């Protein structure tokens, strides 16, 4: 049960990171995005957060939500 509670926190981190990425890229062309090193790095960091939080979700959660 304790790990299931942690799933909720991990999902909240994922949603927050998704929101950040959406804000960082909104209204930009690919060229503009690639030219902005700080924005590119911030986006990559948030994608990394999504990956790590997803990896740490419990097997039960992953099986229930493929």
């Amino acid at each position: 049960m304790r790990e299931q509670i942690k799933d909720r926190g991990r999902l909240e981190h994922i949603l927050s990171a998704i929101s950040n990425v959406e804000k960082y890229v909104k209204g930009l062309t690919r060229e503009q995005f690639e030219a902005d090193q700080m924005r590119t790095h911030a986006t990559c960091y948030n994608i990394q957060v999504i990956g790590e939080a997803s990896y740490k979700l419990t097997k039960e959660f992953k099986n229930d939500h493929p």
Side-chain angles (χ1 to χ4, degrees):
M1 178 67 177
R2 188 168 190 207
E3 281 298 313
Q4 290 175 339
I5 293 170
K6 289 183 178 182
D7 281 341
R8 182 174 180 88
R10 291 179 181 120
L11 291 170
E12 289 171 355
H13 278 123
I14 291 168
L15 290 173
S16 177
I18 290 169
S19 176
N20 289 339
V21 169
E22 289 175 335
K23 285 186 281 188
Y24 299 156
V25 301
K26 185 176 183 177
L28 296 178
T29 65
R30 182 182 182 129
E31 292 77 21
Q32 290 170 324
F33 173 74
E34 289 175 350
D36 188 335
Q37 187 178 31
M38 189 181 314
R39 196 177 299 256
T40 304
H41 286 184
T43 300
C44 288
Y45 170 77
N46 279 276
I47 292 171
Q48 183 178 0
V49 168
I50 293 166
E52 289 178 7
S54 298
Y55 177 77
K56 292 181 180 180
L57 291 168
T58 61
K59 288 181 184 178
E60 294 80 18
F61 183 87
K62 290 177 186 179
N63 289 334
D64 291 344
H65 305 88

